[in-house]
Amino acid sequence: MVKYKVEVDRQTCIATGACYATDSAHYESDEKQKSKVVGGETDESKSVRVFDDDNLEDAQAVAKACPVSAITVTQL
Ligand code: SF4
């Protein structure tokens, strides 16, 4: 098990849907198709949650693939 924080910069997100289409364990759409973190604390500017599981690499791969680098994954 690894503890890590996933944060989406919702001001930067351009609502491509790529993250939540690829990894629905970490990312989901809001009503405007912008990304938010599943089960996270979300407002207009960001969405954040700490996870404690074995899926760090999945979250990181999706973060790398975001076209505007709106996702940050930090191992704690
Ligand atoms: S991949 Fe990036 S731009 Fe696309 S919905 Fe996710 S956070 Fe937003």
Side-chain angles (χ1 to χ4, degrees), residues 31-56:
E31 66 282 357
K32 295 177 184 164
Q33 284 72 54
K34 285 201 174 192
S35 177
K36 60 181 184 175
V37 182
V38 174
E41 293 199 8
T42 301
D43 62 22
E44 284 300 306
S45 63
K46 68 177 181 178
S47 180
V48 63
R49 179 182 161 191
V50 172
F51 289 84
D52 190 0
D53 57 36
D54 293 321
N55 301 320
L56 167 65

Side-chain angles (χ1 to χ4, degrees), residues 1-7 23 25-27 49-60 72-76:
M1 300 268 255
V2 179
K3 218 172 197 180
Y4 57 98
K5 182 171 77 173
V6 178
E7 182 167 342
D23 179 1
H26 293 105
Y27 309 99
R49 179 182 161 191
V50 172
F51 289 84
D52 190 0
D53 57 36
D54 293 321
N55 301 320
L56 167 65
E57 287 175 12
D58 292 346
Q60 286 175 325
T72 306
V73 177
T74 311
Q75 189 169 346
L76 303 175

Side-chain angles (χ1 to χ4, degrees), residues 8 12-20 33-35 62 65-68 70-71:
V8 174
T12 301
C13 172
I14 55 171
T16 63
C19 57
Y20 48 80
Q33 284 72 54
K34 285 201 174 192
S35 177
V62 170
C66 173
V68 291
I71 303 171

